[in-house]
Amino acid sequence: MTDLTALTLAEARDGLAAKTFSALELTDAHLAAMEAARVLNAYVLETPDRARAMAQAADARIANGEGGPLAGIPIGVKDLFATEGVRTTACSKILDDFVPRYESTVTAQLWRDGAVLLGKLNNDEFAMGSSNETSCFGPVINPWRRSGSDAKLVPGGSSGGSAAAVAAHLCLGATGTDTGGSIRQPAAFTGIVGIKPTYGRCSRWGIVAFASSLDQAGPFARTVRDAAILLRSMAGHDPKDTTSVDRPVPDYEAAVGRSVKGMRIGIPKEYRIDGMPAEIEKLWAQGAEWLKAAGAELVEISLPHTTSALPTYYIVAPAEASSNLARYDGVRYGLRVPGDNIVEMYENTRAAGFGPEVRRRVMIGTYVLSAGYYDAYYLRAQKVRTLIKQDFENVFAAGVDAVLTPATPSAAFGIGEKAGADPVEMYLNDVFTVTVNMAGLPGLAVPAGTDAQGLPLALQLIGRPFEEETLFSLGETIEQAAGRLTPARWWA
Ligand code: GLN
C-alpha cells in the first residue's frame, strides 16, 4: 500500500469514502510515523488509544454512510486547546497535569465532523514566542535542514509543534492559534499552509487565552484545499464566545480553484523594510507576477502606520496577557507551591510556574496598565491600533481585494540563534504578521519557494473581514505556480 501519511487530507478523505483503506489503517500509519519522529518533539502527548477508538467509530459511521466531512481524518491539536479528559498544559509548568473537563468549541466541531485526535502538539509557553523555544517541554525541531548541514532549526512559533507535525507527515492537518503570527510564521518556516481567519470567525471558547482581542484559531495543512476543508469545520458562531460572529460558514473548499481574474491585489510599500534579504524581495515580486499571470491586477498601496504595529502589539498583547494570566495563582489550576501565607503561595507558584518570557510579558503588561502609565502606553496603543485598522479599511474601500506581502523577514533560523539576551530580536520576526491581528483581518501563509540554502519561504495574503474565500482562491493560484514543498526525511 502507498504511504498513507503522504496523502493530502482531501486525498485521504476520498480514499476513505472509496474504502481504499480504513480510518484505522490511516490512523495506525500516522501513529507509527509519530513514534519514529519523536526526535522532532512535535507532540507533547500522544493519544494512541483514543485515536484508534475514534478511528474505529469513524469506520463504523463511514460503513453506514453517516461519515461527516472529516470522518476518519487524523489530526493533531495545539496544546492550547482544552480537550476533555486529555491533558492540556499550554506548554507551561504552571498548568502541570491539568486535565480539562470540557472541550474547546473548535475541537468539538472537528470531532463532530469525524476527525481523529492523534495527540497534543508542542507550542511556546502560553503561545508567547516565535520559535517554540519557550515551551516547558523543550524546543521543536524543524523537519527542514539547510542543504549540506545538520544544524537544528526552529519550526517557528508559537504553534511550532503543529507546523512541524504537518510538514513531517505526522498528521493530515492541525489546529493552531495566532495572536501575532503564530500560525502564519511557523507555516512559512516549515513549507506548509496556515490561515489566521478573521477575528470572530472561530470561537475562542476553551482555548487558553493569551491576548483575547487578538487571539484567533485556525488550521495548518499541506495544501490550500486542505486548509479550506479544516476551516469549514472549525469556524462558526458560538454563543459561549461573545466575540464570535454569527454569520454563515461558507463552503471554503469551493473557493479553491476559483478564478482570480480581475482581482485587485495591493502591494504595500511599507513592507519593503530595511535589511530585507534579496531572496525575500525576489519571492514577493515572483508572487505578484504569478497573480498577474492569472489575471489579477497589481496596485501599489500605502499602509502608513505599519512601522507602529510591532511596538503597539508589544503593549496591547502583554497588557491582555497579564490580565488573562492572573488566574494562575495556585488555587484553581495545576501547580501549587506552598508558602507561609496565601500571598507567598501565589508568589512561589507563579515564580516556579512561569518561564522567563511569560514573566517578562506579565511584568510589561502590569506596568502599561498601571495607574500612572495607562494613558501613556495602553490607551495610546489602542489609538494607534485604530489607525492601523483604518489603513487597511482605506485600501479596501479603494477597491483592493487582498494585500500581498512576504510572510516573514527570513527563513527558519537555528535553535538558540535568536533566544539570546535581547528579546526584540525574536519579536522582529512578526513584523509582517502582527498588523493583521491588530486589524482583525484574515491572513493566509502559502509556501512560494526556497532560499539559497533550500529552506522554505512563504508569502502572506491579507483579506477583507470574512473574505477568507478570496484568500483561498489566491493562495491556490500561488500554490499551483510554486509547487508544494516536502522536507527530506532525515529523522527515521
Ligand atoms: N510571536 C508573537 C508573540 O510572541 C506572536 C505569538 C502568537 O501569535 N501567539 O507574542
Side-chain angles (χ1 to χ4, degrees), residues 127-130 158 178-182 210 313-314 361 430:
M128 297 174 191
S130 306
S158 66
D178 189 314
T179 304
S182 280
F210 166 9
Y313 172 85
Y314 276 99
R361 308 272 181 125
D430 299 318

Side-chain angles (χ1 to χ4, degrees), residues 37-179:
R38 290 201 181 127
V39 61
L40 300 179
N41 203 25
Y43 283 87
V44 295
L45 183 73
E46 297 177 8
T47 54
D49 296 341
R50 182 177 285 246
R52 288 200 186 92
M54 289 175 97
Q56 273 162 335
D59 277 329
R61 280 197 303 271
I62 294 169
N64 291 337
E66 292 166 359
L70 294 174
I73 299 295
I75 61 165
V77 169
K78 186 178 185 179
D79 208 24
L80 220 63
F81 291 77
T83 39
E84 188 181 353
V86 177
R87 191 191 69 186
T88 302
T89 68
C91 297
S92 177
K93 279 194 201 132
I94 209 153
L95 273 152
D96 204 14
D97 278 327
F98 175 61
V99 177
R101 276 177 289 171
Y102 52 87
E103 187 76 35
S104 84
T105 298
V106 162
T107 48
Q109 290 174 180
L110 290 165
W111 317 141
R112 171 203 67 199
D113 287 351
V116 169
L117 172 67
L118 291 170
K120 302 297 290 287
L121 293 159
N122 208 338
N123 52 253
D124 277 297
E125 184 178 6
F126 282 106
M128 297 174 191
S130 306
S131 65
N132 213 116
E133 291 170 289
T134 71
S135 164
C136 74
F137 294 104
V140 174
I141 315 294
N142 194 328
W144 287 86
R145 286 171 161 183
R146 297 185 182 116
S147 45
S149 158
D150 59 6
K152 289 181 177 135
L153 305 180
V154 304
S158 66
S159 315
S162 303
V166 172
H169 298 187
L170 312 181
C171 53
L172 290 174
T175 68
T177 62
D178 189 314
T179 304

Side-chain angles (χ1 to χ4, degrees), residues 366-423:
T366 308
Y367 179 79
V368 301
L369 289 174
S370 61
Y373 297 99
Y374 184 92
D375 289 2
Y377 290 102
Y378 185 69
L379 209 60
R380 191 129 185 241
Q382 292 292 21
K383 288 180 183 159
V384 177
R385 181 175 182 178
T386 303
L387 296 174
I388 293 165
K389 190 159 178 259
Q390 280 168 358
D391 281 355
F392 282 101
E393 281 164 3
N394 292 341
V395 302
F396 291 136
V400 165
D401 294 292
V403 175
L404 180 74
T405 77
T408 56
S410 74
F413 45 89
I415 289 192
E417 216 170 274
K418 286 187 200 280
D422 183 4

Side-chain angles (χ1 to χ4, degrees), residues 179-202:
T179 304
S182 280
I183 291 176
R184 292 158 288 156
Q185 186 254 17
F189 278 13
T190 56
I192 61 169
V193 179
I195 179 168
K196 182 202 88 75
T198 312
Y199 185 77
R201 183 69 288 190
C202 293

Side-chain angles (χ1 to χ4, degrees), residues 193-470:
V193 179
I195 179 168
K196 182 202 88 75
T198 312
Y199 185 77
R201 183 69 288 190
C202 293
S203 169
R204 290 182 296 105
W205 195 81
I207 300 173
V208 176
F210 166 9
S212 306
S213 77
L214 301 162
D215 297 344
Q216 187 59 203
F220 285 93
R222 292 196 287 272
T223 68
V224 172
R225 178 181 298 277
D226 291 358
I229 294 169
L230 285 168
L231 183 59
R232 191 185 187 186
S233 290
M234 293 168 71
H237 179 237
D238 176 11
K240 288 190 288 206
D241 171 5
T242 52
T243 62
S244 118
V245 173
D246 193 2
R247 317 169 52 118
V249 178
D251 176 3
Y252 292 120
E253 193 181 356
V256 177
R258 217 177 262 163
S259 167
V260 302
K261 209 164 170 188
M263 281 190 192
R264 282 165 68 87
I265 310 301
I267 308 290
K269 60 171 193 264
E270 292 79 7
Y271 282 61
R272 219 162 267 130
I273 54 167
D274 281 348
M276 184 153 84
E279 288 173 316
I280 305 261
E281 284 262 14
K282 216 175 110 206
L283 184 89
W284 194 10
Q286 174 66 263
E289 276 308 311
W290 285 329
L291 294 181
K292 197 168 160 195
E297 187 193 332
L298 301 174
V299 286
E300 179 87 15
I301 58 163
S302 173
L303 298 166
H305 297 91
T306 300
T307 49
S308 304
L310 210 52
T312 310
Y313 172 85
Y314 276 99
I315 293 172
V316 173
E320 295 186 20
S322 72
S323 158
N324 274 326
L325 269 54
R327 74 190 72 176
Y328 304 103
D329 54 10
V331 176
R332 284 158 291 192
Y333 306 89
L335 185 75
R336 175 183 298 175
V337 180
D340 283 344
N341 53 53
I342 189 157
V343 173
E344 230 182 85
M345 187 277 281
Y346 291 159
E347 288 172 357
N348 293 347
T349 301
R350 287 169 70 83
F354 290 142
E357 184 59 30
V358 174
R359 266 184 267 158
R360 178 171 16 243
R361 308 272 181 125
V362 169
M363 285 190 277
I364 294 172
T366 308
Y367 179 79
V368 301
L369 289 174
S370 61
Y373 297 99
Y374 184 92
D375 289 2
Y377 290 102
Y378 185 69
L379 209 60
R380 191 129 185 241
Q382 292 292 21
K383 288 180 183 159
V384 177
R385 181 175 182 178
T386 303
L387 296 174
I388 293 165
K389 190 159 178 259
Q390 280 168 358
D391 281 355
F392 282 101
E393 281 164 3
N394 292 341
V395 302
F396 291 136
V400 165
D401 294 292
V403 175
L404 180 74
T405 77
T408 56
S410 74
F413 45 89
I415 289 192
E417 216 170 274
K418 286 187 200 280
D422 183 4
V424 176
E425 270 280 297
M426 191 70 82
Y427 298 172
L428 284 170
N429 237 274
D430 299 318
V431 60
F432 299 137
T433 48
V434 287
T435 51
V436 179
N437 301 73
M438 295 301 265
L441 302 171
L444 176 104
V446 59
T450 50
D451 71 0
Q453 298 177 303
L455 295 179
L457 294 172
L459 291 169
Q460 172 177 236
L461 288 154
I462 306 166
R464 294 185 167 134
F466 298 99
E467 292 194 8
E468 283 81 3
E469 289 163 282
T470 305

